[in-house]
Amino acid sequence: MSMLQDLYPEDFAHCYGCGRLNTNGLHVKTDWVEGEGIARFLPAPYHMALPGFVYGGLIASLADCHAMATAAGASMVAAGATPGRDPTPRFVMASLQVDFLRPTPLGPELLLRARPTEVGERKVAVEVSLTAKGVECARARVLAVRAPATMVR
Amino acid sequence: MSMLQDLYPEDFAHCYGCGRLNTNGLHVKTDWVEGEGIARFLPAPYHMALPGFVYGGLIASLADCHAMATAAGASMVAAGATPGRDPTPRFVMASLQVDFLRPTPLGPELLLRARPTEVGERKVAVEVSLTAKGVECARARVLAVRAPATMVR
């Protein structure tokens, strides 16, 4: 099985956060595991807020791309498709809420688990939990909507 | 007068979003204008979500650093200091809420206006509005707290 972002159609594969065709990007990758999205990400040394701690904007970016892929996975399952095998539909953020529970240490790999909480045909709500070495550092709630036709060129 | 981020103490000037000493970073700059924070930012061509539109994680990152500086400015005024002249204290995000009102076009310079809505000694709430060519594309509400002693090395 593939990571969900590797199965975005080519037109949707340029995202700075997760596009395989964006050579400057972060390349967030989401694995679909038993109804959840799982992602691992190792921040670069320069992704800092203060020395020793991860930049909050990066955490928001990881939550964005990971939640969009998880929303896509949930919508695929609802439609009878198989995440990680069939093409991944592209969702975009309608809203993002991040609670920073504690400073996230810069150094260890970050683990992001994302769980779809409401799955509609066009809208999917996703909750994301970010942990570092087993300690939860941030939580996000993301509302994803299918990329509207006006965004597709 | 200086941009607020240029007056962060050196230890706090490494942020990926706004640190003048982070050579890989975005270098968000906030000007203090009559009680508001004003920032302008030109996304790079690779800061895209889909072709033609700005990446939502970048918008969250701009809201982060711009709101933190605006929170600092408001706290300085409350303490009798002058933003843009005196050292800027460092705030970090406790929470971030972004509503993406419409897709943000990639190309024009973005304008961010930030307004402190609640100013406490340690916590400041800030509202951010992002416009492109005069059209509001995103709104954020950010809760800023003084960087805790545990984050300072």
Side-chain angles (χ1 to χ4, degrees):
Chain A
M1 301 296 272
S2 300
M3 296 292 181
L4 299 195
Q5 289 86 353
D6 290 334
L7 296 172
Y8 280 136
E10 209 159 285
D11 284 356
F12 296 161
H14 298 276
C15 173
Y16 180 74
C18 64
R20 64 186 180 277
L21 303 179
N22 191 320
T23 51
N24 294 283
L26 301 172
H27 300 123
V28 174
K29 302 279 185 196
T30 300
D31 198 9
W32 184 258
V33 182
E34 296 181 349
E36 272 193 358
I38 303 288
R40 295 168 194 282
F41 189 86
L42 185 64
Y46 53 77
H47 283 140
M48 78 175 73
L50 310 184
F53 299 101
V54 176
Y55 175 50
L58 178 75
I59 291 170
S61 298
L62 301 178
D64 171 1
C65 288
H66 185 44
M68 293 310 96
T70 300
S75 80
M76 293 175 73
V77 170
T82 300
R85 190 194 68 192
D86 298 320
T88 306
R90 187 68 165 92
F91 283 69
V92 295
M93 286 199 291
S95 69
L96 167 71
Q97 158 79 39
V98 187
D99 290 316
F100 299 90
L101 307 176
R102 53 179 54 78
T104 301
L106 182 61
E109 183 180 71
L110 306 178
L111 174 65
L112 295 108
R113 302 183 67 151
R115 195 169 59 86
T117 55
E118 282 183 59
V119 183
E121 201 184 330
R122 286 197 57 258
K123 285 190 185 182
V124 180
V126 177
E127 287 183 1
V128 182
S129 168
L130 179 152
T131 56
K133 289 187 172 176
V135 178
E136 188 176 35
C137 299
R139 255 180 236 171
R141 278 169 294 164
V142 193
L143 184 60
V145 295
R146 276 266 199 168
T150 51
M151 287 188 83
V152 181
R153 295 193 161 183
Chain B
M1 302 295 273
S2 299
M3 294 293 180
L4 298 195
Q5 288 87 352
D6 290 333
L7 297 172
Y8 280 136
E10 209 159 286
D11 284 355
F12 296 163
H14 297 276
C15 173
Y16 180 74
C18 64
R20 63 185 181 278
L21 303 179
N22 192 320
T23 50
N24 294 283
L26 300 171
H27 300 123
V28 173
K29 301 279 185 195
T30 300
D31 198 9
W32 184 258
V33 182
E34 296 181 348
E36 273 193 357
I38 303 288
R40 296 167 194 282
F41 189 86
L42 185 63
Y46 52 79
H47 283 140
M48 77 175 75
L50 310 184
F53 299 101
V54 176
Y55 175 50
L58 178 75
I59 291 171
S61 298
L62 301 178
D64 171 1
C65 289
H66 185 44
M68 294 310 97
T70 300
S75 81
M76 294 175 73
V77 170
T82 301
R85 190 195 67 192
D86 297 321
T88 306
R90 187 68 164 92
F91 282 70
V92 295
M93 286 198 290
S95 69
L96 167 71
Q97 158 78 39
V98 187
D99 291 315
F100 298 90
L101 307 176
R102 53 180 55 78
T104 301
L106 182 60
E109 184 179 71
L110 306 177
L111 174 66
L112 295 108
R113 302 182 69 152
R115 196 168 59 85
T117 55
E118 282 183 58
V119 183
E121 200 184 329
R122 285 197 59 257
K123 286 191 184 182
V124 180
V126 177
E127 288 184 0
V128 181
S129 168
L130 179 152
T131 56
K133 288 188 173 176
V135 177
E136 189 177 34
C137 298
R139 254 179 236 171
R141 277 168 297 164
V142 194
L143 184 60
V145 295
R146 275 266 200 169
T150 52
M151 287 188 83
V152 180
R153 293 191 163 182

